[in-house]
Amino acid sequence: MVALSEQTLSNRRASASIAQQLYRETEESRQQREIIAERVKAQPNPFYARGRPTKRDRREIMRLKNSD
């Protein structure tokens, strides 16, 4: 949970850099966020397939299947 304290109010939309100046994150919240980021970073990367196998990949698969 992120804890923010409101510094100023704005009546209109603005850029992200201006919006960051309107709020201030508490030190406790910042520490919790860093701990969570370290835990996520320590976890192994999930396996993602690249999609369809290429022609080269299919040939390799067929070669491995037929090597029995």
Side-chain angles (χ1 to χ4, degrees):
M1 181 173 159
V2 177
L4 299 173
S5 63
E6 198 172 291
Q7 299 297 314
T8 316
L9 292 176
S10 176
N11 291 333
R12 61 188 183 108
R13 291 178 58 106
S15 66
S17 59
I18 294 173
Q20 287 174 343
Q21 296 171 1
L22 299 177
Y23 298 94
R24 187 168 313 265
E25 185 176 12
T26 64
E27 187 61 33
E28 179 183 327
S29 174
R30 183 176 294 125
Q31 289 173 351
Q32 287 177 345
R33 188 169 42 84
E34 289 173 358
I35 290 170
I36 291 170
E38 288 175 9
R39 287 180 185 166
V40 169
K41 197 174 189 180
Q43 293 178 352
N45 291 335
F47 173 76
Y48 291 108
R50 296 179 298 171
R52 288 181 60 182
T54 63
K55 192 172 191 176
R56 183 180 198 182
D57 294 335
R58 287 193 304 271
R59 286 180 182 155
E60 184 71 17
I61 291 168
M62 293 304 292
R63 186 182 66 76
L64 292 171
K65 283 185 177 181
N66 293 332
S67 67
D68 293 338

